[in-house]
Each structure stands twice: as structure tokens, then as C-alpha cells.
Amino acid sequence: MREALIVIDVQNDYFEGGAFPLYQPEKALANILVLLKKYTKEDRPVYFIQHISKSKEAAFFLPDTRGVHLHSSLKPFLLSHNAYTIEKTYPNSFLQTDLQDKLQEQKIDRLVICGMMTHMCVDSTTRQASELGYNIKVISDACATRDLSFDKITNSAINVQNAFLSALSSFSKVESTAAYLS
């Protein structure tokens, strides 16, 4: 089996001062960096997914803004010969991108998924990867989300995170960074 790390949308707009900050993205980023160090040391493939909004109504990830750029702490890992950047315009990292082609070229059959937002792009990408037949692990503490409201009820980011990770456990193995590394 050949494994790749998928790092979804770790972009400036999701951090303090960005257009759409998440709940504790720095904690998720710290764990993502641990995973990146492991993959780089082991010379394993890493796919950085970058969302670029094309909708005129979009509130974040707008082209030619600071917010659309991948977080600066990822820069050293982007330079690895085994690092690939995939641009997307939909929550699903496979939709209208060459991600599937790249994974097939490298004969990848296992994916370790992390990134932002758990309830949107991590969810969409994980479900699609499952439908494509990949063996998947989602790293729970290397993902971040935010509060969500519906019908005058606000669900805390912690509850959103738990609900979506619970649902994703039907499509993948969900575990912490420490459990994955052990």
C-alpha cells in the first residue's frame, strides 16, 4: 500500500486577522506540521489543497488577496520534491481538479486527510475519497472548524467538530495525531 498526506485549505483567511477565522486553527496547524515533518523525513507524497474562490459573492479565499495564500509555516514543506499543490474551487478536492489523476499516477491507495474546514472541505473530500475506494484516515486534531447556526440555534465549533468527525468515522478511520504516529 502507498500512502499520501492530503492537507486541505490551510490558508490565511482561516487564521486570526483573516476574512473567515476558524476556532483554534493554530492547534490544528501545530499537528499538521508534525505530520508534515514525518512525511518529509520519510520522503512520502504530500498534496496541499488550496481553495481559490471564483464566485463574486465569496467572502474569503479571493484571488490576489493575502487570505488566499497557504499559511507561511507550510512554505518549507511546499519546496519538497514530493509536495504537490492542487488548486480547487469547490469543497470537494477531487471535483474538477487533477488530484485523482496525480494519486493514480503515484499508485496511492491510502490517504491521510487533515486541514480545514472539517464540516465542509474535509468532509466533502473524505466522502469522495471513500467513494473512489481509498483507505482513509482523518486526523481529528489536525482539522479545524467553526461555530455553525441553523434555525436560530448556534452549535459550538467543538460540537460541530465532534458531529462531523463522528459522521466521517463511517467513511474513514478517525484518530488523533498521537494515535496515528504510534
Side-chain angles (χ1 to χ4, degrees):
M1 290 191 137
R2 189 150 152 79
E3 184 176 278
L5 178 65
I6 308 291
V7 181
I8 301 174
D9 300 348
V10 181
Q11 294 169 246
N12 292 329
D13 271 343
Y14 282 153
F15 291 83
E16 187 176 329
F20 205 73
L22 301 183
Y23 176 73
Q24 299 182 336
E26 300 82 8
K27 286 186 176 184
L29 177 59
N31 289 312
I32 290 167
L33 294 173
V34 169
L35 296 169
L36 287 168
K37 288 175 186 166
K38 172 187 174 50
Y39 273 76
T40 301
K41 180 181 177 188
E42 296 174 359
D43 197 30
R44 293 162 80 183
V46 177
Y47 290 85
F48 294 93
I49 310 299
Q50 181 180 20
H51 194 109
I52 300 174
S53 295
K54 294 210 173 170
S55 169
K56 291 181 183 358
E57 294 85 38
F60 57 100
F61 294 160
L62 301 172
D64 304 317
T65 64
R66 179 188 170 285
V68 77
H69 294 285
L70 294 172
H71 194 276
S72 62
S73 64
L74 302 180
K75 192 171 189 172
F77 302 102
L78 292 165
L79 303 174
S80 166
H81 79 280
N82 232 351
Y84 308 90
T85 302
I86 306 286
E87 292 183 1
K88 67 178 179 66
T89 57
Y90 295 98
N92 176 349
S93 299
F94 291 94
L95 184 61
Q96 296 182 13
T97 72
D98 62 352
L99 177 59
Q100 172 70 345
D101 293 335
K102 299 282 187 199
L103 294 171
Q104 287 179 328
E105 283 171 17
Q106 292 195 317
K107 298 182 178 13
I108 304 294
D109 54 6
R110 288 191 324 207
L111 301 177
V112 175
I113 298 176
C114 61
M116 303 174 185
M117 292 187 287
T118 309
H119 73 275
M120 186 65 72
C121 300
V122 172
D123 178 69
S124 295
T125 300
T126 300
R127 289 170 187 260
Q128 180 65 50
S130 175
E131 291 170 0
L132 291 170
Y134 289 98
N135 180 312
I136 308 160
K137 290 184 180 181
V138 173
I139 308 301
S140 59
D141 56 0
C143 295
T145 193
R146 62 180 291 142
D147 295 351
L148 291 179
S149 297
F150 177 74
D151 200 22
K152 299 180 185 172
I153 297 171
T154 298
N155 297 287
S156 72
I158 293 168
N159 288 337
V160 172
Q161 183 83 338
N162 287 332
F164 273 83
L165 291 172
S166 296
L168 286 176
S169 68
S170 297
F171 300 92
S172 64
K173 182 173 184 176
V174 178
E175 59 188 11
S176 69
T177 302
Y180 172 72
L181 295 175
S182 65

